[in-house]
């Protein structure tokens, strides 16, 4: 189980790296577009149409890495006040709520992707580029994120039930500074 967990978390980091590379390429294209408009009056046609999808894809790629490292914004008023097992139970409850949110989000994204496919939706300026595959990828990324949250829930549940020592409740990567590669 630990091997699968570690492999899924590594994949989340690679996915985030890919998303950040996409964002970097879009930033370069935007700079070239601005320079082209300013210096030569030749903008990159339809870049804004593609950029919107790139922002969504990049964000979807990065969310699972934050979940894998348990780096979402948290407020932990009971961390120092509770024993490790009750604290793990409280963290497990929070993980269960987050899992529900991620699952509903993924379900809605799958429905949105299906609607885009059924209506043959394309980009507004690039009529030949269908948007359904992009939204399907976003739905996949959020489904993967829900899986990672389920693993977090499992980890906290095992600690709360005494099946795992408390110091292993967080993934090993979370003790170090955020490092995607």
């Amino acid at each position: 189980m630990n091997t699968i967990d570690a492999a899924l978390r590594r994949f989340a980091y690679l996915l985030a790296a890919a998303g950040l590379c996409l964002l970097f390429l879009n930033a370069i294209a935007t700079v070239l577009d601005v320079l082209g408009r300013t210096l030569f009056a030749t903008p990159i046609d339809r870049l804004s149409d593609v950029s919107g999808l790139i922002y969504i894809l990049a964000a979807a790629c990065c969310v699972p890495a934050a979940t894998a490292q348990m780096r979402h914004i948290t407020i932990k008023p009971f961390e120092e006040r509770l024993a490790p097992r009750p604290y793990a139970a409280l963290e497990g409850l929070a993980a269960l709520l987050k899992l529900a949110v991620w699952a509903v989000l993924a379900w809605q994204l799958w429905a949105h992707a299906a609607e885009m496919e059924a209506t043959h939706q394309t980009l507004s300026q690039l009529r030949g580029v269908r948007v359904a595959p992009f939204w399907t990828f976003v739905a996949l990324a959020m489904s993967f994120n829900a899986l990672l949250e389920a693993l977090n829930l499992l980890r906290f549940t095992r600690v709360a039930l005494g099946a795992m020592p408390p110091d292993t409740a967080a993934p090993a990567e979370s003790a170090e500074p955020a490092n995607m590669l």
Side-chain angles (χ1 to χ4, degrees):
M1 180 69 178
N2 288 340
T3 305
I4 293 170
D5 183 48
L8 291 173
R9 291 176 193 287
R10 276 193 306 276
F11 180 72
Y13 306 147
L14 289 173
L15 189 62
L20 292 174
C21 287
L22 254 178
L23 202 56
F24 178 70
L25 291 174
N26 190 60
I28 290 172
T30 302
V31 167
L32 292 174
D33 181 48
V34 169
L35 289 175
R37 286 175 192 270
T38 306
L39 300 176
F40 308 110
T42 56
I44 299 175
D45 288 336
R46 300 170 182 90
L47 179 63
S48 63
D49 212 15
V50 175
S51 288
L53 281 178
I54 289 175
Y55 296 137
I56 293 166
L57 288 172
C61 286
C62 292
V63 171
T67 299
Q69 291 184 338
M70 293 190 288
R71 298 266 184 189
H72 297 293
I73 296 172
T74 57
I75 300 170
K76 298 182 177 188
F78 302 109
E79 187 171 26
E80 302 294 323
R81 298 179 185 178
L82 291 176
R85 287 180 61 190
Y87 181 70
L90 190 60
E91 286 288 318
L93 177 61
L96 180 63
L97 294 173
K98 289 186 286 184
L99 176 58
V101 169
W102 294 126
V104 168
L105 179 62
W107 170 54
Q108 288 296 309
L109 286 166
W110 281 110
H112 181 68
E115 182 182 335
M116 295 293 106
E117 182 61 36
T119 60
H120 305 290
Q121 186 74 34
T122 61
L123 291 174
S124 62
Q125 296 173 0
L126 295 169
R127 295 286 180 196
V129 179
R130 296 177 66 165
V131 297
F134 297 98
W135 283 106
T136 300
F137 180 83
V138 171
L140 273 170
M142 289 304 107
S143 298
F144 177 58
N145 188 59
L147 172 65
L148 291 172
E149 194 62 59
L151 291 173
N152 290 340
L153 172 61
L154 177 64
R155 188 179 298 107
F156 284 122
T157 302
R158 290 179 66 201
V159 171
L161 296 175
M164 195 165 106
D167 59 338
T168 58
E173 297 88 3
S174 69
E176 303 171 6
N179 183 0
M180 296 298 180
L181 296 177

